[in-house]
């Protein structure tokens, strides 16, 4: 990426995030840059405007934004990361972040209550996925099965099917579904929280997945019209999840909520929920705060 036309403060932010002890992923860095650029444009600002603005004025900007707490937090965090390189007192910004985090949790809880009444039961989605396989919609089957079974995010599904022998010689840091003799192995190295949780290795013992992988052979699971894997920001176009009778198309986040609710009914629920959070590359705390439909 060409940083020549970026402001000094944005270049400093990029440098901070790529040279810190645990550098952020390329995808996270891209989001920071996009957030900064959008905020700068929407506020009609130029040059090092965050660095040169007072803390009070930055707070006014955040408070005037017509978005939910999550959106305000994204912009506020950009401001804090830039401002930390100045001598300004950041406590008012940090206090505002605490306030917005509390609002975010409240809004998330309200969304979960709403979802509790909107999302279909586990069995309905499970039957839908079975039908995809039975009607030979194999690509959609694999997308839905892996998402529902292992709580995967959309980015995880941008993967390449490969034989075990060829994977031994693969050097690209991609996501792979490795075809083995009696099962498949998911190796997910390119995902949202890889810096925190490392490469994910998931044994997929489903005979249907193995049959599908052998049937279609090696290649990318998702491909655009040029025969190439799609960009991460356009993945939703290629992912067809369950649609409710009211015409609401579910997301991978909805699948995760439904799966979490189902696992809570099992005798070994804690063990299964712990495995699911590891498959997703997330924590039990995040699962409880954002995906637990039974949260009181």
């Amino acid at each position: 990426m060409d940083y020549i036309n970026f402001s000094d403060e944005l270049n400093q932010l990029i440098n901070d995030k790529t040279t810190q002890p645990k550098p952020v992923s390329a995808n996270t860095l891209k989001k920071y840059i996009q957030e900064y650029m959008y905020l700068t444009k929407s506020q009609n600002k130029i040059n090092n405007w965050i660095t040169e603005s007072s803390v009070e004025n930055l707070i006014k900007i955040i408070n005037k934004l017509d978005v939910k707490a999550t959106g305000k937090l994204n912009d506020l965090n950009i401001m804090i990361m830039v401002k930390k390189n100045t001598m300004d007192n950041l406590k008012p910004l940090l206090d505002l972040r605490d306030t917005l985090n509390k609002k975010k949790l409240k809004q998330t809880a309200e969304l979960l209550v709403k979802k509790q009444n909107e999302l279909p039961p586990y069995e309905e989605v499970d039957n839908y996925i079975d039908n995809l396989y039975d009607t030979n919609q194999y690509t959609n089957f694999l997308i839905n099965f892996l998402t529902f079974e292992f709580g995967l995010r959309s980015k995880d599904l941008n993967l390449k099917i490969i034989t075990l022998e060829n994977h031994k010689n693969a050097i690209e840091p991609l996501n792979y579904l490795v075809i083995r003799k009696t099962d498949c192995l998911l190796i997910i190295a390119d995902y949202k929280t890889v810096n925190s949780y490392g490469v994910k290795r998931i044994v997929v013992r489903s005979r249907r997945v193995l049959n599908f992988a052998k049937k279609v052979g090696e290649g990318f699971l998702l491909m655009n019209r040029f025969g190439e894997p799609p960009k991460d920001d356009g993945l939703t176009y290629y992912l067809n999840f369950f649609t409710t009778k009211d015409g609401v198309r579910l997301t991978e986040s909805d699948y995760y909520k439904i799966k979490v609710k189902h696992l809570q009914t099992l005798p070994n629920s804690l063990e299964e929920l712990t495995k699911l959070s590891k498959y997703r590359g997330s924590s039990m705390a995040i699962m409880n705060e954002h995906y637990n439909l039974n949260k009181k």
Side-chain angles (χ1 to χ4, degrees):
M1 183 178 291
D2 184 5
Y3 302 150
I4 294 176
N5 296 321
F6 288 170
S7 64
D8 290 342
E9 65 183 16
L10 178 53
N11 277 319
Q12 182 63 53
L13 173 60
I14 293 168
N15 182 68
D16 290 345
K17 292 303 172 183
T18 54
T19 59
Q20 62 189 26
K22 282 190 175 182
V24 299
S25 67
N27 194 51
T28 297
L29 185 63
K30 181 181 177 182
K31 288 181 179 179
Y32 286 159
I33 295 171
Q34 290 175 335
E35 194 73 35
Y36 175 91
M37 300 295 284
Y38 177 80
L39 180 61
T40 299
K41 184 177 180 180
S42 66
Q43 297 300 316
N44 296 313
K45 302 293 186 179
I46 59 173
N47 300 326
N48 301 313
W49 69 275
I50 294 179
T51 301
E52 295 168 359
S53 296
S54 68
V55 168
E56 291 73 20
N57 283 336
L58 293 179
I59 289 175
K60 288 179 181 178
I61 289 173
I62 295 298
N63 287 334
K64 287 181 180 179
L65 293 176
D66 187 21
V67 295
K68 290 186 176 181
T70 299
K72 291 185 177 183
L73 277 168
N74 289 338
D75 290 337
L76 178 59
N77 283 329
I78 292 294
M79 292 177 176
I80 291 174
M81 287 187 289
V82 170
K83 267 291 190 183
K84 77 183 182 88
N85 292 309
T86 70
M87 298 298 292
D88 293 1
N89 177 20
L90 301 188
K91 188 176 185 305
L93 291 177
L94 299 177
D95 289 343
L96 178 58
R97 184 172 66 181
D98 290 341
T99 299
L100 289 174
N101 272 319
K102 291 176 183 177
K103 287 185 178 180
K104 178 183 176 182
L105 288 176
K106 181 180 178 182
Q107 290 171 355
T108 300
E110 292 170 347
L111 175 62
L112 288 175
V113 172
K114 185 171 181 285
K115 286 289 185 180
Q116 176 75 280
N117 300 320
E118 291 179 350
L119 293 179
Y122 173 88
E123 292 74 17
E124 199 168 324
V125 178
D126 196 42
N127 290 337
Y128 165 74
I129 296 174
D130 287 343
N131 184 65
L132 289 176
Y133 187 85
D134 293 339
T135 55
N136 302 323
Q137 299 179 62
Y138 295 128
T139 299
N140 279 339
F141 161 75
L142 189 60
I143 290 168
N144 279 267
F145 178 85
L146 294 179
T147 304
F148 200 48
E149 183 69 15
F150 300 112
L152 301 187
R153 298 182 180 91
S154 299
K155 185 176 173 65
D156 300 1
L157 297 165
N158 210 2
L159 57 83
K160 187 176 185 179
I161 300 171
I162 192 170
T163 63
L164 179 60
E165 189 63 31
N166 285 337
H167 181 259
K168 291 177 181 177
N169 300 317
I171 58 174
E172 296 175 287
L174 303 175
N175 297 335
Y176 292 101
L177 180 67
V178 183
I179 304 172
R180 304 196 294 191
K181 186 174 181 180
T182 60
D183 60 25
C184 291
L185 177 65
L186 262 177
I187 300 178
I188 303 176
D190 182 20
Y191 70 102
K192 181 180 178 181
T193 53
V194 65
N195 285 350
S196 298
Y197 296 94
V199 175
K200 296 188 289 187
R201 296 176 181 271
I202 304 171
V203 177
V204 184
R205 294 188 171 87
S206 166
R207 176 62 61 176
R208 295 183 299 177
V209 170
L210 180 61
N211 289 342
F212 164 83
K214 288 181 176 179
K215 185 179 182 69
V216 300
E218 294 185 305
F220 289 101
L221 176 63
L222 308 176
M223 289 191 294
N224 60 24
R225 61 194 179 93
F226 303 108
E228 301 170 341
K231 302 295 184 183
D232 290 338
D233 54 6
L235 281 175
T236 53
Y237 174 81
Y238 300 88
L239 306 178
N240 297 310
F241 296 126
F242 180 83
T243 300
T244 69
K245 59 184 178 182
D246 297 322
V248 178
R249 182 177 171 182
L250 302 190
T251 65
E252 54 85 7
S253 177
D254 293 328
Y255 270 24
Y256 194 53
K257 293 181 179 74
I258 295 170
K259 183 74 173 184
V260 167
K261 184 178 180 182
H262 169 69
L263 293 182
Q264 289 173 327
T265 68
L266 303 182
N268 57 338
S269 60
L270 181 58
E271 178 184 346
E272 292 300 320
L273 289 168
T274 301
K275 284 197 297 186
L276 186 66
S277 70
K278 290 180 179 178
Y279 291 153
R280 189 168 177 85
S282 186
S283 67
M284 292 289 282
I286 292 295
M287 176 189 285
N288 185 53
E289 287 179 8
H290 297 276
Y291 302 98
N292 182 7
L293 293 172
N294 291 325
K295 186 178 179 181
K296 304 300 182 182

